[in-house]
Amino acid sequence: MPQEQYAHRSTMQTSEGPQVYKVGIYGWRKRCLYFFVLLLMILILVNLAMTIWILKVMNFTIDGMGNLRITEKGLKLEGDSEFLKPLYAKEIRSRPGNPLYFQSARNVTVNILNEKTKVLTRLVTGPQAVEAHSQKFEVKTLSGKLLFSADDNEVVVGAERLRVLGAEGTVFPKSIETPNVRADPFKELRLESPTRALVMEAPKGIEINAEAGSLKATCRTELKLESKDGEITLNSAKIKLPNLPQGSSSSAGSRQKIYELCVCPNGRLFLSQAGTSSTCQINTSVCL
């Protein structure tokens, strides 16, 4: 390069000075950036405050939250608790000395499942009734004595005494098997079949005893006492048969009140005025 041109360029650079290039964000971009940073800080503070408020309201602690506490034996709930979905637990019990309540707006259902999630036993307590679905239902005492049992074959009452307090008594559509039927003290015992027959059977014997009152047996057609291998005993100081038919008198002018008890071949009883000998043969017309 010629010396004159180099001197001219050097003179021009010296007179103009060095050029400076600015680096950064200026103007409205800088103000927007500061605004977003400030807004983000406000959101962080609000979020932190809300988190602290939720922890305070829900009572979050190291042991649990709210009424729920985590202990070594499991979960502990204090106060009323509401479950919106099914609850699966191995054991549910209340605090010592306090009752356990299950409350629902409709019903409470307890299901027992097998390994294939099939329902084996179900207990439903609803507003209309309490239903138990199982193969066998049992009620026992604390000592293990059976009080009540029911299944498809039979119903067993294991208590020493079964009391029926209904005003109309107890209705058995079919047969009943029991070793003793007894009324309460100072109450009468009444066995009645309004439209059918009343049959009492026993392999060894039937004992009817009224210690402090009278015994009355009434029927519309026939009253039958039958003993196949033994005897029928009427043990009383007085035995009265007031409505037995009477045979014809042995003589027209006889007014005696001594009668002979006669039995027809068909088992019918009748009275015949007594004589020096039996008069039953004279009055056989009663047996017809």
Side-chain angles (χ1 to χ4, degrees):
M1 180 180 296
Q3 186 176 2
E4 295 179 358
Q5 293 180 2
Y6 179 78
H8 179 69
R9 180 173 296 181
S10 299
T11 304
M12 292 179 60
Q13 291 180 358
T14 302
S15 60
E16 293 179 0
Q19 295 182 0
V20 179
Y21 297 95
K22 296 181 180 181
V23 179
I25 302 175
Y26 299 95
W28 63 272
R29 294 183 179 87
K30 183 177 182 180
R31 289 192 294 269
C32 290
L33 180 60
Y34 287 161
F35 174 75
F36 285 120
V37 172
L38 180 61
L39 181 61
L40 182 60
M41 292 180 63
I42 294 174
L43 292 177
I44 292 174
L45 293 177
V46 172
N47 190 13
L48 181 61
M50 292 293 293
T51 303
I52 296 174
W53 179 77
I54 292 174
L55 293 176
K56 184 65 177 179
V57 172
M58 299 300 294
N59 194 13
F60 276 93
T61 59
I62 300 176
D63 298 331
M65 57 171 287
N67 296 330
L68 180 63
R69 295 290 182 268
I70 301 175
T71 62
E72 296 180 355
K73 297 181 180 180
L75 298 179
K76 181 179 179 182
L77 289 174
E78 298 178 354
D80 298 336
S81 302
E82 182 178 357
F83 299 94
L84 302 179
K85 292 185 178 181
L87 173 64
Y88 299 92
K90 182 180 180 181
E91 181 181 357
I92 300 176
R93 62 181 179 179
S94 63
R95 291 183 298 176
N98 294 332
L100 178 63
Y101 294 98
F102 291 95
Q103 184 176 356
S104 175
R106 294 185 178 180
N107 56 38
V108 177
T109 303
V110 180
N111 293 332
I112 306 299
L113 309 178
N114 59 3
E115 295 80 2
K116 299 180 180 179
T117 65
K118 182 180 179 180
V119 178
L120 299 178
T121 303
R122 174 179 296 173
L123 178 63
V124 181
T125 57
Q128 301 295 332
V130 178
E131 300 179 1
H133 303 267
S134 62
Q135 296 181 355
K136 190 173 183 180
F137 179 76
E138 292 183 353
V139 178
K140 296 183 179 181
T141 61
L142 295 177
S143 59
K145 181 181 178 181
L146 180 64
L147 295 179
F148 181 82
S149 175
D151 56 15
D152 294 338
N153 298 324
E154 62 179 2
V155 175
V156 179
V157 179
E160 296 181 357
R161 177 181 297 181
L162 174 62
R163 298 185 61 185
V164 181
L165 303 179
E168 299 296 331
T170 306
V171 179
F172 297 96
K174 296 184 179 180
S175 63
I176 176 176
E177 180 179 352
T178 176
N180 188 10
V181 179
R182 180 174 59 184
D184 288 338
F186 307 104
K187 301 292 183 179
E188 65 176 10
L189 176 63
R190 186 173 183 179
L191 302 178
E192 181 181 5
S193 179
T195 58
R196 294 293 185 269
L198 178 62
V199 180
M200 291 187 292
E201 296 180 352
K204 292 185 178 181
I206 297 176
E207 181 181 354
I208 302 176
N209 187 12
E211 297 181 355
S214 61
L215 178 64
K216 183 179 180 180
T218 306
C219 66
R220 182 173 295 274
T221 55
E222 294 182 359
L223 176 63
K224 185 177 181 180
L225 301 177
E226 180 181 356
S227 177
K228 295 182 178 180
D229 298 330
E231 61 183 10
I232 298 175
T233 302
L234 302 177
N235 186 7
S236 176
K238 296 180 179 180
I239 298 176
K240 296 182 179 181
L241 302 174
N243 295 324
L244 289 179
Q246 297 182 10
S248 59
S249 301
S250 59
S251 62
S254 177
R255 296 183 177 179
Q256 64 176 349
K257 295 183 179 180
I258 301 176
Y259 295 92
E260 181 181 0
L261 180 62
C262 303
V263 182
C264 297
N266 58 3
R268 184 177 183 182
L269 299 178
F270 67 94
L271 298 178
S272 178
Q273 288 187 356
T276 56
S277 61
S278 177
T279 59
C280 293
Q281 298 295 334
I282 301 175
N283 301 304
T284 55
S285 60
V286 182
C287 300
L288 299 179

